[in-house]
Amino acid sequence: MATPSKGRFITVEGTEGVGKSTNITYLCQLLQDRGVEVVLTREPGGTPLAEELRGMLLQPREESVSEDTELLLMFAARAQHIKNVIQPALARGAWVVSDRFTDATFAYQGAGRGVDLQQISLLEQLVQKGLQPDLTLLLDLSVEIGLKRASERSAPDRFELEKVAFFERVRQGYLDRAEADPQRFAVIDASVSLQQVQQQIDTALNRFMEASS
Ligand code: Z5A
């Protein structure tokens, strides 16, 4: 299969414990096997400053964090990430694979916390200036199984301390975005075995590469 020369932006999304970290490694290997230069990154984070902001955002704390503070810190980290990592990589023709991007803001801060989606859209325009992922893999899994998988792996961060109802809203927020933009999203059933999840990722990537070559 011919490898497209232009840089592409792929994001991987989903609620807690859906297997993003596990499957991103697989996705990057698939791309490298096709001769693509891959830049693997994540949000919040991806640059030294943005990683500091990530630490502030995820650390459980006694002081309550206002929704606006959380939203603005997410976009502050994103602005730094876009300017210093994503744009330069795309400009030289590399493919950027990001563990989460702005769909997470619409799902967590929007659907989860109840922040007005139009306010998020305004910040999206300000910070991204039209930049959007070319492909988004949404790993979808019941909240119950995802939280169980995540809890077996590490201590909970500030988000993982939220109640099940919060994650149900986040999951629905993601599914609504996928339904509204089926061209960009591929919804992956993450409830099945790792091998079956990876088969679905293979299919989605093949379809995307054929469409963009
Ligand atoms: N956040 C936000 O609110 N707004 C935003 O705009 C952005 C982010 C960008 C950090 O994200 C937090 O930031 C996040 C949302 C918020 N909330 N939290 N917490 P993160 O992506 O760094 O953290 P995470 O969502 O908690 O990711 P995670 O817990 O690391 O999950 P994961 O990467 O999706 O899962 P995993 O580590 O690959 O897999 C979990 C376990 O399941 C592991 O033991 C695997 O071996 C196992 N696994 C994976 N796949 C399978 C299958 N198919 N079968 C069985 N077991 C499996």
Side-chain angles (χ1 to χ4, degrees), residues 16 19-22 54 100 105 109 153 157 160 192:
E16 322 317 296
K20 288 178 292 87
S21 312
T22 311
R54 177 190 177 89
R100 298 193 186 280
T105 314
Q109 281 65 52
R153 193 210 41 205
D157 62 32
E160 287 165 345
V192 292

Side-chain angles (χ1 to χ4, degrees), residues 12-24 42-45 54 57-58 70-71 74-75 78 98-110 113 139 141 145-154 156-161 166-167 170 174 189-198:
V12 182
E13 299 277 1
T15 50
E16 322 317 296
V18 290
K20 288 178 292 87
S21 312
T22 311
N23 288 296
I24 269 184
R42 69 174 181 180
E43 288 211 349
R54 177 190 177 89
L57 279 158
L58 297 197
E70 185 175 279
L71 178 69
M74 287 293 174
F75 271 105
R78 183 161 299 135
S98 186
D99 186 339
R100 298 193 186 280
F101 192 62
T102 308
D103 292 305
T105 314
F106 281 99
Y108 281 80
Q109 281 65 52
R113 302 261 193 247
L139 303 188
L141 177 66
I145 300 174
L147 288 176
K148 187 162 179 294
R149 284 185 191 170
S151 70
E152 284 165 2
R153 193 210 41 205
S154 60
D157 62 32
R158 194 171 60 83
F159 287 92
E160 287 165 345
L161 292 169
F166 171 83
F167 293 108
V170 172
Y174 271 129
D189 175 4
S191 68
V192 292
S193 73
L194 194 52
Q195 195 188 11
Q196 288 169 311
V197 171
Q198 291 175 345

Side-chain angles (χ1 to χ4, degrees), residues 91-194:
R92 67 169 189 269
W95 287 44
V96 175
V97 176
S98 186
D99 186 339
R100 298 193 186 280
F101 192 62
T102 308
D103 292 305
T105 314
F106 281 99
Y108 281 80
Q109 281 65 52
R113 302 261 193 247
V115 172
D116 182 352
L117 299 182
Q118 286 189 345
Q119 281 183 12
I120 301 177
S121 292
L122 282 175
L123 288 168
E124 179 185 36
Q125 285 162 31
L126 179 80
V127 167
Q128 293 172 219
K129 300 173 181 70
L131 174 73
Q132 289 293 339
D134 298 297
L135 169 67
T136 297
L137 300 177
L138 172 58
L139 303 188
D140 182 57
L141 177 66
S142 83
V143 168
E144 191 190 354
I145 300 174
L147 288 176
K148 187 162 179 294
R149 284 185 191 170
S151 70
E152 284 165 2
R153 193 210 41 205
S154 60
D157 62 32
R158 194 171 60 83
F159 287 92
E160 287 165 345
L161 292 169
E162 287 292 337
K163 297 200 166 57
V164 169
F166 171 83
F167 293 108
E168 294 286 5
R169 293 195 297 277
V170 172
R171 182 187 185 196
Q172 192 55 51
Y174 271 129
L175 290 171
D176 289 347
R177 286 186 67 77
E179 196 182 0
D181 193 355
Q183 285 281 94
R184 169 164 73 86
F185 276 88
V187 181
I188 308 288
D189 175 4
S191 68
V192 292
S193 73
L194 194 52

